[in-house]
Amino acid sequence: GENVEQHPSTLSVQEGDSAVIKCTYSDSASNYFPWYKQELGKGPQLIIDIRSNVGEKKDQRIAVTLNKTAKHFSLHITETQPEDSAVYFCAASIGAAGNKLTFGGGTRVLVKP
Amino acid sequence: GAVVSQHPSWVICKSGTSVKIECRSLDFQATTMFWYRQFPKQSLMLMATSNEGSKATYEQGVEKDKFLINHASLTLSTLTVTSAHPEDSSFYICSASPLAGATDTQYFGPGTRLTVL
């Protein structure tokens, strides 16, 4: 089955700096890669996703890049703000309707003011 | 759009009792709903996948007789933890995939914290 590795497990950045989280996956059939943000005591919130027909996607301060050949994808957050502090999870699936997501282990991001 | 609710948000029960958790997609119809369990500082662990009108598919190691799932409509799924014990205490989260549009996307509910005394 699919295996998703996520690094780093914790990330501390100064407000205004960039944060990068990387994930690798094992199943070459995977073609849908969402990123979720989870604040303490809440459910995960979808912040951005990418499908394998594109290499990069941006939404304001957030961007995701995908390298299907190397089987890795990354989340980039620019101009970080304290409210970006949370746990971020990457995931992968084969992108079919109702298909299971395989999650990475999560990255705890702390943005220091 | 794509809002998923859960009820209750937290529940405390005595050992041996059963607890029902509801998951609703508020502004879309969901073909598939998923139930996850999350322990502190850990990732999400998929428990089961349910489709409206069919039996749920449980992940390996999840007791189907203990965690009963009913997916009664395209907007409602319930998880019942039967004969709960302290080790069942956890954060339970559901997600739903829409019937139309991005059908591979999962939108998550806010979670239900279960404490079994």
Side-chain angles (χ1 to χ4, degrees):
Chain A
E2 174 69 282
N3 182 50
V4 177
E5 300 275 347
Q6 183 171 346
H7 298 281
S9 56
T10 59
L11 180 60
S12 182
V13 296
Q14 208 63 41
E15 182 178 359
D17 288 349
S18 295
V20 180
I21 304 169
K22 298 183 179 181
C23 289
T24 59
Y25 62 98
S26 60
D27 189 346
S28 56
S30 290
N31 59 8
Y32 173 60
F33 308 94
W35 286 88
Y36 290 89
K37 174 184 180 182
Q38 186 177 28
E39 296 177 347
L40 192 62
K42 298 184 179 180
Q45 175 194 4
L46 178 68
I47 56 172
I48 196 167
D49 56 12
I50 191 167
R51 291 180 172 79
S52 60
N53 56 340
V54 297
E56 183 173 357
K57 185 175 177 181
K58 257 186 121 171
D59 182 4
Q60 300 182 339
R61 298 187 294 109
I62 292 173
V64 56
T65 58
L66 171 64
N67 183 327
K68 280 220 79 177
T69 304
K71 288 193 255 180
H72 66 70
F73 56 112
S74 302
L75 178 72
H76 305 251
I77 306 173
T78 57
E79 300 172 27
T80 53
Q81 300 166 5
E83 51 264 38
D84 295 329
S85 296
V87 179
Y88 291 80
F89 291 99
C90 64
S93 85
I94 65 169
N99 224 66
K100 296 190 289 188
L101 290 173
T102 300
F103 283 87
T107 297
R108 190 169 301 272
V109 173
L110 175 63
V111 179
K112 294 180 286 187
Chain B
V3 179
V4 177
S5 71
Q6 277 184 246
H7 179 80
S9 54
W10 59 269
V11 56
I12 301 172
C13 70
K14 292 182 179 179
S15 190
T17 61
S18 295
V19 173
K20 181 186 282 189
I21 302 169
E22 287 188 353
C23 176
R24 292 182 186 272
S25 54
L26 297 185
D27 52 1
F28 65 98
Q29 291 183 316
T31 55
T32 309
M33 289 184 168
F34 304 82
W35 286 95
Y36 294 82
R37 187 172 178 176
Q38 187 178 36
F39 291 106
K41 297 188 178 181
Q42 292 191 21
S43 189
L44 290 86
M45 183 189 82
L46 180 66
M47 299 174 66
T49 303
S50 76
N51 289 286
E52 183 258 343
S54 349
K55 286 185 180 179
T57 302
Y58 291 81
E59 294 299 297
Q60 193 171 6
V62 178
E63 299 174 61
K64 59 182 70 177
D65 293 331
K66 180 167 189 60
F67 298 101
L68 300 178
I69 291 171
N70 183 274
H71 195 152
S73 74
L74 288 173
T75 58
L76 173 64
S77 176
T78 59
L79 168 69
T80 301
V81 182
T82 63
S83 188
H85 291 287
E87 56 266 31
D88 298 323
S89 299
S90 191
F91 193 50
Y92 292 88
I93 316 172
C94 71
S95 69
S97 290
L99 182 63
T103 58
D104 53 0
T105 302
Q106 288 186 33
Y107 299 99
F108 283 81
T112 296
R113 184 158 304 283
L114 170 63
T115 302
V116 185
L117 302 177

